Amino acid sequence: MFLTLFGTLVIAGIFGYVVEKFGLTHNGILPSIIICVGGALIFYFIRIMFGISFGSPGLDAILSSIGALIIVPTRFRK
């Protein structure tokens, strides 16, 4: 269980970094990593409490990171 949690956080952090480096978001590296890790952590706890899952924990981490980056804008867009 704890290895799954740490793996989820690492995958989400790497995903946040990669998305920012490719220029898909303009939040900054640290805010993107924080947003992705937060989204993955929330979805991890939802997965434990309610049993909702899209597949493997790695896939859940990536999908929740994408969702968090879409939902949580940090800059106002024109």
Side-chain angles (χ1 to χ4, degrees):
M1 183 166 108
F2 290 114
L3 291 177
T4 304
L5 174 64
F6 293 134
T8 298
L9 297 179
V10 168
I11 289 171
I14 291 170
F15 186 80
Y17 177 78
V18 168
V19 167
E20 189 61 39
K21 278 298 187 180
F22 281 133
L24 299 174
T25 62
H26 302 289
N27 299 329
I29 293 174
L30 189 60
S32 289
I33 291 173
I34 291 171
I35 290 168
C36 287
V37 167
L41 190 63
I42 289 171
F43 192 77
Y44 175 78
F45 289 128
I46 288 173
R47 179 181 179 166
I48 289 174
M49 287 188 294
F50 301 113
I52 299 170
S53 176
F54 295 115
S56 68
L59 180 64
D60 287 344
I62 292 171
L63 292 177
S64 62
S65 297
I66 291 171
L69 284 174
I70 291 172
I71 292 173
V72 181
T74 57
R75 293 187 181 183
F76 295 107
R77 298 181 183 166
K78 293 181 181 179

